[in-house]
Amino acid sequence: MISLHERINAIRQLEPVAPIERNKLNIEDLQVGGFLKIKESAFQVKSLGYYLDVKWKDFSARKSEYWVTELELLNLHNGVVKYFEWERDDELELSITEEFVKLRDIKYSGSSLTHAHLDSIADNEEGTVSFKGVNYHYVEDDTWAGRYAKEKRKDGAPMRAYEFEGDDDTFLTIETWHEADDERPDREAFLSRAVSVRDIEILQLNRQ
């Protein structure tokens, strides 16, 4: 949660483009200090990050580059920080975090999910876990490896993302972060949901 002072400071930087001009603005051009609305909530972009899609086995580069852009967003209404991602495949795909999840609260076969469980699910290319009573089903086609950095670099921090789709139309992502010779990578998990392009309105591309 961000302080009230920081929220007020962010709001003072908002100089929105005239409504008639907003449909000309593209989220792919949004920079740090810019503002957008997602449905009825307004956000300021606090930082950008970039994931480069790489090979699963050794994190080496692919022949063609594919990037996922992450925006750290400050909700101007309540001070909550959210993470928003966009990528362009055949079309623009958008998602936003709902909440971060403690790994011990994710259940698999009646017990807390372990790294061994995660490896087994990936090896078998199927499996179901649960969180707060919702079942999440492993999606092999969406599971991927990347390198993350705050700039568009090919030598960013290596990570793997195990993707699960929930029965309630949310998504569970479990990320493992791999340092050199690290046999027990750090893990984090979060829930997200897809966002329609129709629900996005760019108010200001960057800090004025």
Side-chain angles (χ1 to χ4, degrees), residues 13-197:
Q13 299 172 43
L14 176 58
E15 298 180 13
V17 172
I20 197 171
E21 297 294 322
R22 292 177 192 171
N23 61 352
K24 301 176 184 178
L25 304 182
N26 192 325
I27 194 165
E28 296 173 62
D29 298 321
L30 196 59
Q31 297 297 315
V32 172
F35 293 84
L36 76 159
K37 285 181 67 177
I38 303 175
K39 292 189 174 179
E40 299 304 316
S41 296
F43 299 85
Q44 184 184 42
V45 181
K46 303 302 291 183
S47 70
L48 295 174
Y50 303 92
Y51 292 89
L52 173 64
D53 181 51
V54 296
K55 295 180 181 178
W56 180 269
K57 183 177 181 180
D58 60 3
F59 305 108
S60 60
R62 299 186 183 276
K63 290 183 179 179
S64 59
E65 294 182 6
Y66 184 83
W67 294 90
V68 178
T69 301
E70 176 188 79
L71 286 67
E72 180 188 14
L73 301 179
L74 167 62
N75 188 315
L76 300 182
H77 304 273
N78 57 24
V80 171
V81 172
K82 295 279 190 177
Y83 291 88
F84 181 93
E85 292 183 356
W86 67 261
E87 57 188 283
R88 181 172 288 282
D89 195 354
D90 294 330
E91 58 185 22
L92 190 62
E93 299 178 11
L94 313 171
S95 64
I96 191 168
T97 55
E98 289 292 319
E99 65 175 298
F100 284 90
V101 175
K102 294 179 180 178
L103 271 297
R104 66 174 179 267
D105 293 335
I106 302 172
K107 304 301 180 182
Y108 177 69
S109 297
S111 60
S112 294
L113 182 72
T114 66
H115 190 77
H117 291 151
L118 202 54
D119 285 342
S120 176
I121 290 171
D123 289 342
N124 293 325
E125 300 184 0
E126 64 178 1
T128 298
V129 301
S130 64
F131 175 71
K132 291 184 177 179
V134 177
N135 288 329
Y136 291 86
H137 310 283
Y138 181 70
V139 184
E140 171 67 18
D141 289 345
D142 291 341
T143 292
W144 59 290
R147 285 186 174 273
Y148 176 81
K150 301 303 287 185
E151 305 86 24
K152 276 194 172 183
R153 293 169 36 189
K154 297 181 181 181
D155 61 346
M159 53 74 68
R160 293 188 175 104
Y162 301 79
E163 304 286 1
F164 297 78
E165 184 171 356
D167 291 339
D168 63 349
D169 295 326
T170 62
F171 299 88
L172 170 67
T173 299
I174 302 172
E175 295 181 343
T176 58
W177 293 84
H178 299 260
E179 301 294 338
D181 302 321
D182 187 356
E183 295 182 358
R184 295 183 63 84
D186 291 335
R187 297 181 298 164
E188 62 181 24
F190 56 89
L191 298 181
S192 63
R193 62 176 173 84
V195 177
S196 170
V197 175

